[in-house]
Amino acid sequence: MQGLEVRGLSKRFGGLVVSENIDFDLPPGARKALIGPNGAGKSTFANLVTGILSPSGGTIRFDGQDVAGLNEAQRVKRGIAKTFQITTLFPRLTVRENLRLPVLEREGQGTRMFRRASGNAEIEAEVTALIDQFDLGPLADRPVLDLAYGQQRLVEMALSLALKPRLLILDEPAAGVPSSETHLIIEAIERLPDDLAVLVIEHDMDLVFRVARSIVVLVQGRILTEGTPEEIANNAQVRELYLGGAHG
Amino acid sequence: MAVRFLPPLLMLLAAVAAYFLFPYNLAFLTRIVIMVVLVLSLDLVLGFAGIATLGQAAMYGAGAYAAGLFAIHVWADPVAGLVAGALAGAVLAALSGAVLMRTQGLTLIMLTIAVAQICAEIANRARGVTGGADGLRGIRPGKVLGVWEFDFIGITGYWYALAVMLLVFAVLAILGRSPFGLSLRGIHESPARMEAIGVSVYRRRLAAYTLGGGIAGIAGALTAQITQLVSLETFSFSLSAEALIMLILGGTGRLYGAVLGTVIFMAVHHVAAANDPFNWLFVIGALVLAVVFFLPAGIAHLPTSLKRLSKGGRHAGS
Amino acid sequence: MNLLLNIAVDGIAYGMILFMIAVGLSVTMGLMRVVNLAHGGFALIGGALAHWLGAGLGLPFGLALLLAVAGTIVIAMPLERLVYRRIYGFGELQQVLATIGLTFLMIASVNLLLGSSLLAIPLPEALSRSVDLGFRQLTAHRAAVIAVGALVILGLWALLDRTRFGIRLRAAVDNRDTASALGIDTGRIYMLTFALGAGLAALGGILGAELLPIDAYYPLRYMVLFLIVVAIGGLGSILGSFVAALAIGLIETASRYLVPDMATITFFGIVILFLALRPRGLMGRA
Ligand SMILES: Nc1ncnc2c1ncn2[C@@H]1O[C@H](COP(=O)(O)OP(=O)(O)OP(=O)(O)O)[C@@H](O)[C@H]1O
Ligand SMILES: [Mg+2]
């Protein structure tokens, strides 16, 4: 079986149950959204899949293979990548250097010592293509800490995409981005490769309904329901949940 | 392109000028050059990879003892001795780093100091091999490359140390622009992100620490060969701390900051201190606090800091 | 059997000293997130003051002790205001440097005023007497050290558990942003905590002068020892420091009794092994 298969996944922090018996599938090419109130356990779920956290129970399989024994870096090598809810870049490196790093590592060149980091034409071409894909051309040689927040979120996505993953989890890609700029994020998501499996965690419902073909609702660590955007929009329980002001 | 070769060129010019200006201070000049090698090793570990250490003297001392013992018992050839020193430093860094690189913050700093103390203790106990508190004596290095004999004025010693220093500088400059160097800067900036792009931060940091240990070992080997004496002081906390201060004074992560900081520090030391170690502590204490509060990025960043200041930038002080 | 009891008594006394000196370091590091390498300097200042007051001016031990601890606190408070407060927000490396600089200044000052030789603190008759425990002679001094150490941990527990200051301090250690949002004056708490830690270090330095002799280089010589207590105990944990200090006291003493030639190496070996397995220490928080 191709793609991600999660069965009976659970996670406790001490006495606090943050994920409870989660079953979840994400085949290649999927566009799913994971929504739910603050503290529902969405980021925790992403961290369990990518290996930042280890689960208290359950299984995670990717392309038919159990990835439980693999750490974060090893799962990246298998094709699982994620962006960070809180922007986590290399602030004093330029945009180009930020993107060069993951490409070099993906190509297994990260430990080469006696050639220039910028000396490989193929890698440079790929980095430039990524910069163009995210419309970051004019900023390419600026340190990312000089960039506006919305642009930093684009670099955040570009960094993960540079790993050529087959599964990409976007943890609140539009968090903190002014609404006038969310369209940039949405367009960037729409331009992701067709065969890539994408899971978007997001509070911004406009974004969710624009990009997701299926939506999973997580509440207090449990999956409340899953359905098409229409089904979710008309689900009484979900509406109640989001009328309470959690809509972000 | 031309700008990039300016610092090394200036360095070489300054070194030649110093040779002719201070012909009677060659021993002191040589000490500076050797210290630059040690501080360069620290720049790799701390300036590039962001590993906070107060124990670089451990690898320096290991290199010094290894080179000294190698010269006495195995082969007097200086270059072979450098290799022995580099290996000793690298092996010690790899072994201790295997534990140290799992820790961070205070624990890491404390353990780096502890490793140097353990080394000093071992060297002290193994009196039969190392000479204990009397130091390791009787090192008689052979001719450099079979041609230049070490003379007692220190002419050969100076040029030999300078050549090694420039070589180390060049290697680190190449390393700094390589994929490996970029990945170390990445780890410095964000270890979490490095893991997320598939890098074992632990292993990469261990590699940097080992390399830095090898270079510190070369610095130690130079001392052993040129002063023909190795004492327990090579492991001292003060040496590690002073190397750190020199690096921060000059500015981290740009190599010539290490050179600049070392030269300035050693010169101040030479003028202000040598006769009274305690008054020297007043000077160095005040100097360190001044750097931390007024020049946190080091002298190498002074132009940038001034530029920002004149532009009225908010980051002038940070 | 006798050997074990000897190790236990000496180790506990040693551990109490380490605890008194290091607990302030642990709490301030946990609270202010500052890497402070100068903490041993306060033990030195306390010891130097006690030496000057006791041996120089001839004050009785008890009075010299009290005045020396008070004097250390008086010196520590403006230092917190003028130096430490400015470096709380700095990076780790800057903090390391600043506190090394401070350590150097402390060493140089003590040397300037009192010289670089050993600074003995005369003990009163009553404390030099021996108490017969049946299996060995115990000096009253050592018994007093254990008693004072026990009082300190009880006092700290009462302070933290029973007073408003304690509640605020714990809130600030757990989460200082929340604490200041709740209107707790964290600046004042920092200063009081810092002063308390410095005072305890002075107390430990004076009482422990027999085991860790006082001279100008004291803060550098024992820096690692105090940092080990904090690292093993876990940053910010008083109970952790206590357990760690006792364990370290016992282990060091045991290795000195059992493997005198390899004592330092054995001791460091155990410490490194422990930290390799538990990098955050006994009670360290993520
Ligand atoms: N390392 C941790 N230790 C203890 N509790 C944690 C830890 N990480 C997260 N939690 C708790 O787990 C719960 C779920 O957190 P999580 O970050 O997964 O929520 P989320 O759904 O991503 O929320 P948000 O929408 O705010 O990002 C929260 O109550 C959080 O406090
Ligand atoms: Mg989240």
Side-chain angles (χ1 to χ4, degrees), chain C residues 46-76:
Chain C
L49 283 174
H51 165 80
W52 177 60
L53 293 165
L57 303 185
L59 295 187
F61 178 76
L63 191 59
L65 177 96
L66 278 181
L67 286 177
V69 171
T72 307
I73 291 177
V74 168
I75 292 173

Side-chain angles (χ1 to χ4, degrees), chain B residues 16 39 57 70 87 96 103 160 165 177 192 218 253 284 307 314:
Chain B
V16 173
V39 177
F70 185 81
L87 279 177
S96 59
T103 65
Y160 171 56
M165 188 273 267
R177 284 190 285 271
I218 291 178
I284 180 179
K307 223 181 288 165
R314 314 170 268 130

Side-chain angles (χ1 to χ4, degrees), chain A residues 37-44 46-47 85-86 171-172 201 203:
Chain A
N38 289 112
K42 304 181 296 294
S43 295
T44 303
N47 290 340
Q85 177 172 353
I86 298 165
D171 195 351
E172 303 200 19
I201 298 171
H203 287 294

Side-chain angles (χ1 to χ4, degrees), chain C residues 156-246:
Chain C
L156 284 176
W157 173 76
L159 181 74
L160 282 184
D161 221 55
R162 294 294 149 92
T163 65
R164 274 164 66 89
F165 172 75
I167 293 167
R168 291 170 174 206
L169 174 60
R170 277 183 297 149
V173 172
D174 282 342
N175 193 329
R176 52 178 164 170
D177 297 332
T178 315
S180 54
L182 288 174
I184 294 177
D185 180 356
T186 45
R188 222 171 79 92
I189 293 205
Y190 285 4
M191 188 157 84
L192 290 176
T193 311
F194 192 87
L196 182 66
L200 285 175
L203 180 66
I206 298 167
L207 290 178
E210 276 202 342
L211 291 162
L212 309 174
I214 309 259
D215 68 11
Y217 270 113
Y218 185 94
L220 286 188
R221 184 167 313 120
Y222 301 116
M223 179 186 285
V224 171
L225 190 59
F226 305 148
L227 292 176
I228 285 176
V229 176
V230 177
I232 291 204
L235 284 190
S237 164
I238 290 180
L239 186 62
S241 320
F242 186 67
V243 176
L246 283 188

